[in-house]
Amino acid sequence: MPIFTEKNITVCQNRFGGKGEVHIEHLLDEQVYNGKVTMYAKITLKPGCSLGYHQHSGNSETYAFLSGSGLYNNNGELVSITAGDTTFTPSGESHAIENTGNDNLIFMALIVSDN
């Protein structure tokens, strides 16, 4: 069983039309899952930062919130989230997330291909 110690960290500006920086710490390469899992990462949004509204097509995404709080857009419905919450966006649906708190919003993101 391999242990992965090196992390690939990407910093994106205005991801999907969102505000500010999104820090993406990729935990595994998608090749580990033969392309079935296209992202497994720890995401950090600083206060005021967001991932813009976007639709999933051919994949689903799950967020598991580890710390902080924010506002989650679930197909146009705004829902407050906090540490311990989990969201799921299936293929064909849309979502966004904004850190509305005073601390970093940290969550795990898992994108699984429908194929």
Side-chain angles (χ1 to χ4, degrees):
M1 171 174 60
I3 296 174
F4 299 91
T5 57
E6 291 188 31
K7 308 291 188 282
N8 176 13
I9 299 175
T10 305
V11 178
C12 302
Q13 292 288 332
N14 309 106
R15 181 101 167 141
F16 301 118
K19 299 181 283 189
E21 292 183 348
V22 177
H23 294 249
I24 305 171
E25 183 179 338
H26 299 273
L27 300 176
L28 294 176
D29 188 289
E30 68 184 65
Q31 294 171 346
V32 171
Y33 290 103
N34 297 320
K36 183 74 174 165
V37 172
T38 57
M39 182 168 65
Y40 178 52
K42 183 170 78 172
I43 311 292
T44 302
L45 296 176
K46 294 181 181 179
C49 294
S50 66
L51 276 167
Y53 193 72
H54 62 283
Q55 183 178 43
H56 282 266
S57 180
N59 61 41
S60 62
E61 185 165 30
T62 302
Y63 292 161
F65 296 95
L66 304 175
S67 65
S69 60
L71 195 59
Y72 181 76
N73 185 329
N74 180 26
N75 291 296
E77 179 185 348
L78 299 178
V79 180
S80 294
I81 56 87
T82 189
D85 292 340
T86 301
T87 62
F88 176 72
T89 305
S91 181
E93 296 193 12
S94 301
H95 66 157
I97 183 75
E98 180 176 3
N99 182 347
T100 57
N102 296 319
D103 299 313
N104 287 346
L105 177 59
I106 301 173
F107 56 98
M108 302 303 297
L110 175 67
I111 299 177
V112 179
S113 174
D114 291 345
N115 300 326

